[in-house]
Amino acid sequence: MLRSLLLVLSRQSWLRHWMETSPAADRLTSRFVAGSTIEREVAVCQKLNADGYLATLDHLGESVNSLAEAEKSRDAYLAALDHIAKLNLKATVSIKLTQLGLDYSEADCRANVECLVTRAKSIGSMVEVDMESSVYVDRTLALVSDLHARYGSVRAVIQAYLYRSESDIHNLCKQSIPVRLCKGAYRESSDVAFPRKKDVDANYVRLMFELFDHGAYPAIASHDENILDRALSYIRERNITADRFEFQMLYGVGRDLQRRLVAAGYRVRLYVPYGDAWYPYFMRRLAERPANVIFLARNLLKS
Ligand SMILES: Cc1cc2nc3c(=O)[nH]c(=O)nc-3n(C[C@H](O)[C@H](O)[C@H](O)COP(=O)(O)OP(=O)(O)OC[C@H]3O[C@@H](n4cnc5c(N)ncnc54)[C@H](O)[C@@H]3O)c2cc1C
């Protein structure tokens, strides 16, 4: 029930306005969101790099309602890539194709992403293309595949909850396209996705093993301790060295786990969001784990 309430609150403009303008907001949100500006983001990423983490920068913009807004979003990512180059950050950028205009023009969206991929390549970074709801999967993978063939420097994301993912992973491995494997975050129907968490988790493990055996530098994106234990056992059994894959987690989530993996010598990349539209992202993170509300309440009292 608390989860549903938090999701409802994530869409309330009055609460959003209060949170965005409250002096307490910083203290409340800084665990999960770097801040609203690129300067804040870069400072967080520098600190993470110094602590042994890799980063991926996620610009949280408002939803895009025109191609002009998609171009603004592209420009925000170009600025992020400039900062990565200037400060020599160990970082990639994570983008969503809808933020770059996919709903308005596939050709313009492709041009925006191509611009980011060529810039990322020129500075030795990479563009990670987040996967959105199932209606976008074909178009997203087609674009990633095309850009990878021309430039490299791009990573696909596969969601273990989709039935189709085994065959998608097979195709991506054949093309040596690096894959980030996650469970999947959207509400999907049982026509396309496993409805039960147990089946999603089992599929995740199957796909993860497939990526370890046949993938090009897989990224294991999860905070699930059981899954991470299975990953660690598998790589030990097969003598897979730590430079052949990475773990990925969300900034502020599973921090003990993150620290333990880095201390054990594994690569861990943190997904670090920033930008004006941080409120819906922040509320969704709370809804994923209502226990986070206790953390929120404690900070509210402190402020
Ligand atoms: C780097 C990264 C990139 C991602 N990219 C995408 C993407 O492109 N497309 C997409 O659909 N999804 C994406 N996701 C989200 C993903 O699909 C899951 O919704 C999310 O990661 C939770 O799944 P889990 O594997 O951590 O397992 P779960 O079974 O959901 O969680 C395992 C444990 O992790 C902890 N945990 C999980 N979430 C939180 C939280 N918010 N706060 C505190 N603890 C928490 C809890 O202890 C929980 O028991 C991404 C996730 C990561 C880490």
Side-chain angles (χ1 to χ4, degrees):
M1 221 173 88
L2 184 54
R3 181 168 190 271
S4 307
L5 175 66
L6 286 165
L7 287 173
V8 169
L9 291 178
S10 77
R11 295 187 287 272
Q12 300 303 308
S13 51
W14 61 269
L15 183 58
R16 178 174 181 167
H17 178 75
W18 180 79
M19 291 276 282
E20 286 179 348
T21 51
S22 160
D26 240 27
R27 198 177 292 178
L28 298 180
T29 57
S30 59
R31 171 158 167 190
F32 298 111
V33 180
S36 52
T37 63
I38 182 68
E39 288 74 21
R40 293 281 298 273
E41 172 79 351
V42 163
V44 167
C45 291
Q46 279 183 302
K47 168 88 173 71
L48 290 175
N49 282 177
D51 291 343
Y53 297 95
L54 307 167
T56 185
L57 285 68
D58 168 38
H59 180 252
L60 300 167
E62 296 293 345
S63 48
V64 158
N65 293 310
S66 67
L67 284 172
E69 287 176 10
E71 281 170 16
K72 272 197 198 156
S73 183
R74 177 203 62 201
D75 293 344
Y77 275 110
L78 283 173
L81 287 165
D82 285 346
H83 280 83
I84 291 175
K86 201 164 80 190
L87 298 167
N88 214 6
L89 293 177
K90 291 181 194 140
T92 60
V93 291
S94 283
I95 63 167
K96 290 189 173 46
L97 295 189
T98 53
Q99 247 193 308
L100 290 154
L102 186 59
D103 287 330
Y104 297 92
S105 153
E106 217 166 313
D108 290 73
C109 173
R110 181 174 288 254
N112 286 336
V113 180
E114 187 165 4
C115 177
L116 297 178
V117 172
T118 51
R119 178 74 182 125
K121 184 181 168 80
S122 74
I123 63 166
S125 181
M126 173 185 255
V127 175
E128 312 204 18
V129 184
D130 287 357
M131 189 57 80
E132 300 177 70
S133 74
S134 56
V135 296
Y136 295 109
V137 176
D138 281 328
R139 284 173 287 171
T140 303
L141 292 181
L143 191 144
V144 168
S145 175
D146 180 40
L147 292 178
H148 181 267
R150 284 201 272 158
Y151 307 105
S153 304
V154 65
R155 171 151 39 216
V157 177
I158 290 292
Q159 298 153 321
Y161 62 17
L162 295 182
Y163 304 134
R164 59 175 287 168
S165 289
E166 187 174 353
S167 129
D168 287 335
I169 284 210
H170 189 66
N171 288 333
L172 291 162
C173 287
K174 274 204 294 201
Q175 299 168 75
S176 299
I177 298 177
V179 171
R180 172 203 298 161
L181 180 62
C182 66
K183 288 190 186 176
Y186 295 80
R187 256 183 222 292
E188 298 288 357
S189 99
S190 57
D191 294 342
V192 295
F194 294 102
R196 292 189 310 173
K197 177 172 163 45
K198 187 168 124 283
D199 297 324
V200 177
D201 291 357
N203 199 39
Y204 191 106
V205 172
R206 259 196 306 277
L207 301 179
M208 177 173 77
F209 290 168
E210 176 73 16
L211 285 174
F212 278 137
D213 289 342
H214 304 292
Y217 194 73
I220 307 304
S222 179
H223 318 91
D224 185 329
E225 298 226 32
N226 290 330
I227 283 180
L228 296 177
D229 284 346
R230 298 288 300 274
L232 293 173
S233 305
Y234 199 78
I235 57 178
R236 277 187 217 115
E237 277 162 26
R238 313 252 153 170
N239 288 322
I240 298 170
T241 49
D243 56 348
R244 286 174 49 203
F245 68 95
E246 65 186 44
F247 292 110
Q248 293 195 347
M249 296 191 205
L250 303 178
Y251 179 62
V253 175
R255 290 184 295 185
D256 287 346
L257 208 49
Q258 297 170 5
R259 277 191 282 269
R260 267 187 272 143
L261 288 170
V262 166
Y266 295 107
R267 291 181 181 170
V268 179
R269 186 179 302 278
L270 299 186
Y271 186 101
V272 190
Y274 72 103
D276 290 337
W278 56 262
Y279 174 77
Y281 175 91
F282 173 72
M283 293 301 281
R284 282 198 305 273
R285 295 288 82 79
L286 288 188
E288 270 169 13
R289 191 168 183 249
N292 286 338
V293 175
I294 294 168
F295 145 87
L296 180 78
R298 206 183 301 131
N299 281 300
L300 252 182
L301 286 176
K302 268 196 229 156
S303 53

